[in-house]
Amino acid sequence: MPGVLAATVRIQRQDFDVAAEIAALTQGRVDIGAVVTFSGLCRDEQGALSALELEHYPGMAEAEIGRIATEASERWPLQGLSVIHRHGKIAPGENIVLVVAASAHRQAAFEAADFLMDYLKSRAPFWKKEHRTDGSEGGWVEAKETDAQAAQRWKRPPSE
């Protein structure tokens, strides 16, 4: 089993700079051969959405994301891992989430980033409310069954 590393987990209102986050994770490191990033953006839903408002339970969200980041570092040989998730009102085109996974080899970095995003989409404690361009509230966004199904592929068999 790979060693457990201390991942960076941040939940913040302000935007983040993807290139700066990659640089912070890799600066001075010569053991990293692959960096995989996923950045999720707010989309406008064909012009119908003026903003997406994300709420979270402070403390609980960081702990849950930290727990799954630790699991990723136990499953894959990672040299670095950062997860940043924004909250508040986010306009179309703005950043929502960033996952940066660094490893000596690409497969571990890809799989760890994929694992984290499947978790974030299916089980992270965030609530999303749509604000529409016509001024109406679109309501709270329900979780998608396809996201839950995607996360199932990472489920480990019960220990004996």
Side-chain angles (χ1 to χ4, degrees):
M1 175 169 40
V4 178
L5 69 100
T8 297
V9 175
R10 293 197 324 259
I11 298 177
Q12 61 192 44
R13 185 173 296 276
Q14 71 271 21
D15 197 6
F16 50 82
D17 179 323
V18 176
E21 297 299 333
I22 295 168
L25 190 67
T26 60
Q27 186 173 7
R29 302 287 300 269
V30 295
D31 57 332
I32 295 172
V35 175
V36 171
T37 62
F38 175 86
S39 58
L41 309 174
C42 180
R43 57 184 178 269
D44 72 354
E45 300 295 351
Q46 292 84 40
L49 194 68
S50 65
L52 190 60
E53 189 171 351
L54 283 91
E55 293 185 9
H56 73 294
Y57 194 102
M60 183 175 95
E62 292 89 343
E64 282 297 305
I65 294 170
R67 185 183 63 73
I68 205 71
T70 297
E71 185 175 337
S73 71
E74 290 169 348
R75 287 180 170 216
W76 293 280
L78 300 176
Q79 271 73 38
L81 183 61
S82 294
V83 181
I84 302 169
H85 205 299
R86 291 184 61 202
H87 67 91
K89 212 170 199 180
I90 300 170
E94 291 183 352
N95 292 314
I96 297 175
V97 63
L98 176 67
V99 172
V100 183
S103 184
H105 302 284
R106 72 180 185 273
Q107 184 174 356
F110 272 115
E111 289 178 3
D114 202 14
F115 169 79
L116 277 154
M117 279 312 305
D118 281 344
Y119 167 79
L120 288 170
K121 290 291 289 179
S122 64
R123 296 189 319 237
F126 288 92
W127 298 272
K128 300 175 190 174
K129 186 177 189 180
E130 292 182 334
H131 294 271
R132 301 201 173 268
T133 53
D134 66 6
S136 67
E137 285 192 9
W140 296 100
V141 178
E142 294 291 325
K144 294 180 180 147
E145 181 59 31
T146 53
D147 291 331
Q149 289 170 352
Q152 285 299 312
R153 67 190 165 129
W154 304 109
K155 196 168 188 172
R156 289 180 167 169
S159 299
E160 295 186 31

